[in-house]
Amino acid sequence: MRKMSVIIIFILFLFISCKKEYIPIDKNLNGFEDSLEFNEEESKIFRSWFTNIIINTALKNNLPENYRDCSGFVKYAYKETLKKHDAKWILENQYDGPIFEDLRYNYPDIPYLGVRIFRKKSGVFDTNNINEDFSSYVTARYLIEYNLDFVTKDINKAKSGDILAFFHPEDPEYPYHLMVFVIYNNEKYLIYHTGPIEGGGYIKIVKLQDFFKFDPSWLPVKNNKYFLGVFKFKILML
């Protein structure tokens, strides 16, 4: 009997020893660990939450003060999308939009990153450099360069939840500007924060068709040199 127990313990030891430890991977070299990236179905869920959080925040005008600029609005919705949307969250955010399934990981308990959900420099994902490569805050430029992937300059190919980016070098203080492309009730909108203008700025909701009546330097068209294009978050498959 004792001999049998020793054999069983030895077999268990071999099993535990041979069990492979998961090694962080960044196969597509986009700076985010592969397990942080969402598959097709999860990407749809992310876009649904992100779109409706953008809409809800714009309609309720309840964007927290420390997020009141164009990139802050996007970062806020990104973070809130990654949270658990329980009854407490719904009450705190005055959310009355549609409810979807939560994502498989939730802020602030993001694998590897915790609250440092934004990449702030280029490079392959490395668990040894989390503090140097990621931050809880990044500027609009870093959001575009290290956290978003270029998709197209054809606005007709944009999906709800995509980000439109503009670059106006003549504005040295705030050269980058972000807008969110949203499809709501079968209508296309651009929703964005105006930035730190007089009075602190505000959120605008504009139908895409009406946007073409404005300053041409802000048009989301291929021949506009100020339009950088349509982008999506790197963690999304689509």
Side-chain angles (χ1 to χ4, degrees), residues 86-191:
D86 53 18
K88 180 182 178 183
W89 181 90
I90 290 171
L91 183 63
E92 289 177 348
N93 288 271
Q94 302 173 286
Y95 182 80
D96 56 13
I99 302 296
F100 311 95
E101 180 183 350
D102 277 334
L103 295 162
R104 64 181 151 82
Y105 59 77
N106 304 110
Y107 182 94
D109 300 317
I110 306 296
Y112 303 108
L113 305 182
V115 298
R116 295 174 175 270
I117 56 176
F118 300 108
R119 191 165 183 97
K120 61 180 180 179
K121 60 191 295 188
S122 62
V124 178
F125 184 88
D126 185 347
T127 53
N128 295 316
N129 295 323
I130 297 294
N131 292 343
E132 291 76 23
D133 295 344
F134 289 85
S135 174
S136 58
Y137 169 86
V138 290
T139 62
R141 175 187 170 185
Y142 286 1
L143 193 64
I144 296 168
E145 291 184 1
Y146 308 131
N147 298 271
L148 301 175
D149 278 332
F150 173 80
V151 178
T152 181
K153 288 197 81 171
D154 184 353
I155 191 64
N156 295 310
K157 294 180 180 178
K159 298 176 182 177
S160 193
D162 277 339
I163 310 300
L164 275 58
F166 295 82
F167 177 61
H168 284 256
E170 69 278 5
D171 182 353
E173 194 170 2
Y174 301 105
Y176 291 92
H177 189 67
L178 305 177
M179 303 180 185
V180 182
F181 176 82
V182 164
I183 299 176
Y184 179 65
N185 288 340
N186 295 318
E187 287 271 15
K188 297 177 180 179
Y189 294 86
L190 296 181
I191 304 180

Side-chain angles (χ1 to χ4, degrees), residues 32-62:
F32 286 83
E33 209 280 331
D34 288 357
S35 66
L36 295 173
E37 298 175 24
F38 295 125
N39 62 29
E40 186 172 328
E41 188 57 36
E42 292 169 329
S43 295
K44 290 178 182 177
I45 294 171
F46 180 99
R47 284 182 179 275
S48 295
W49 273 118
F50 184 79
T51 293
N52 283 280
I53 288 171
I54 285 286
I55 293 169
N56 191 80
T57 305
L59 294 177
K60 296 292 172 62
N61 192 30
N62 60 354

Side-chain angles (χ1 to χ4, degrees), residues 3-17:
K3 185 177 180 181
M4 181 62 69
S5 298
V6 171
I7 292 172
I8 292 172
I9 292 171
F10 179 70
I11 292 172
L12 287 172
F13 174 78
L14 287 177
F15 175 78
I16 294 170
S17 299

